[in-house]
Amino acid sequence: EADIYQTPRYLVIGTGKKITLECSQTMGHDKMYWYQQDPGMELHLIHYSYGVNSTEKGDLSSESTVSRIRTEHFPLTLESARPSHTSQYLCASSELRGRGSNTGELFFGEGSRLTVL
Amino acid sequence: QKEVEQNSGPLSVPEGAIASLNCTYSDRVSQSFFWYRQYSGKSPELIMSIYSNGDKEDGRFTAQLNKASQYVSLLIRDSQPSDSATYLCAVSSFNKFYFGSGTKLNVKP
């Protein structure tokens, strides 16, 4: 079973507030990811990191930012939330399956459901 | 063209039947292949991973990979109502994962 934790699980806030979604994993995985998913819709990659001090934007443009100061921690921040940011945010992590480029399994946290009023 | 294609369904099967879920991918250098199950409102849960051509069985689940045809499938034997969920096919190449839009499976009691 994967050990990846997200907080808060549910958050309702007003427009203009700054929020940070926390994600931590205890598996020592180098790679961490943030996905955004609306109900019944596809997963969209918004940020990823291959290690400490490494962050990249994903395929879906997002106004959020991320940081990776410690291996186990990959928080996502919205400086000024808007109703269009209402969605489920899923954090995930993976490790190399072996030496080289084979990718190991991706494990998800339970998600943070954000509602911006 | 999307990286990973799945039929959105819904696929309806009676309890006890075999459910067959299919997925095609476009990147020939893809190296790792996964099936995830996602219940409504929950996060995806890894069911199977497969890395080489052929079949891989785990309990009631069998994943099949054919790299020449760029095709991955998941068979669920003795389907149960608790198997009703959306099944996501995922393909990875180097450090990126690509997800299909998912197939919704309904298992009728």
Side-chain angles (χ1 to χ4, degrees), chain A residues 34-74:
Chain A
W34 276 102
Y35 288 86
Q36 185 175 341
Q37 187 181 35
D38 293 323
M41 304 299 284
E42 296 179 45
L43 284 162
H44 292 287
L45 179 67
I46 52 174
H47 298 284
Y48 60 99
S49 168
Y50 293 160
V52 171
N53 294 326
S54 154
T55 61
E56 302 285 345
K57 288 191 178 295
D59 303 318
L60 180 68
S61 175
S62 174
E63 293 167 346
S64 58
T65 59
V66 292
S67 63
R68 190 87 184 276
I69 298 172
R70 304 198 316 264
T71 298
E72 63 272 21
H73 196 214
F74 191 40

Side-chain angles (χ1 to χ4, degrees), chain A residues 31 37 42 103 105-106 109, chain B residues 2 36 38 43 49 94-95:
Chain A
K31 297 174 182 49
Q37 187 181 35
E42 296 179 45
T103 304
E105 296 161 346
L106 186 68
Chain B
K2 285 183 152 184
Y36 287 83
Q38 187 173 27
S43 63
S49 57
F94 299 93
N95 293 312

Side-chain angles (χ1 to χ4, degrees), chain A residues 31 33 35 37 42-43 45 48 50 59 88 90 94 97 101-110 113, chain B residues 2 31-32 34 36 38 41-46 49 51 88 92-101:
Chain A
K31 297 174 182 49
Y33 308 80
Y35 288 86
Q37 187 181 35
E42 296 179 45
L43 284 162
L45 179 67
Y48 60 99
Y50 293 160
D59 303 318
Q88 169 145 275
L90 294 162
S94 73
R97 175 169 165 252
S101 56
N102 276 352
T103 304
E105 296 161 346
L106 186 68
F107 296 100
F108 286 88
E110 292 190 329
R113 186 170 295 282
Chain B
K2 285 183 152 184
Q31 299 157 314
S32 306
F34 309 92
Y36 287 83
Q38 187 173 27
K42 302 293 187 183
S43 63
E45 172 193 10
L46 180 68
S49 57
Y51 301 97
L88 304 173
S92 74
S93 177
F94 299 93
N95 293 312
K96 296 193 82 172
F97 289 82
Y98 300 93
F99 284 85
S101 55

Side-chain angles (χ1 to χ4, degrees), chain B:
Chain B
Q1 183 186 1
K2 285 183 152 184
E3 298 280 349
V4 181
E5 299 271 7
Q6 291 183 257
N7 188 321
S8 61
L11 172 66
S12 291
V13 300
E15 183 174 355
I18 295 175
S20 177
L21 305 163
N22 305 312
C23 169
T24 57
Y25 61 94
S26 60
D27 187 355
R28 286 193 170 275
V29 301
S30 297
Q31 299 157 314
S32 306
F33 307 86
F34 309 92
W35 282 99
Y36 287 83
R37 176 176 61 200
Q38 187 173 27
Y39 293 112
S40 181
K42 302 293 187 183
S43 63
E45 172 193 10
L46 180 68
I47 300 175
M48 295 280 290
S49 57
I50 186 166
Y51 301 97
S52 55
N53 280 328
D55 295 359
K56 179 181 177 182
E57 186 175 318
D58 184 0
R60 295 187 297 113
F61 300 98
T62 299
Q64 299 172 318
L65 173 61
N66 183 327
K67 290 188 177 182
S69 302
Q70 295 175 242
Y71 176 88
V72 193
S73 67
L74 179 71
L75 299 177
I76 306 175
R77 289 181 299 281
D78 188 23
S79 294
Q80 302 296 310
S82 59
D83 294 326
S84 297
T86 297
Y87 288 80
L88 304 173
C89 174
V91 171
S92 74
S93 177
F94 299 93
N95 293 312
K96 296 193 82 172
F97 289 82
Y98 300 93
F99 284 85
S101 55
T103 299
K104 188 174 175 62
L105 173 66
N106 290 327
V107 181
K108 298 173 290 185

Side-chain angles (χ1 to χ4, degrees), chain A residues 1 4 27 49 88 91:
Chain A
E1 188 169 316
I4 180 165
M27 297 170 284
S49 168
Q88 169 145 275
C91 182

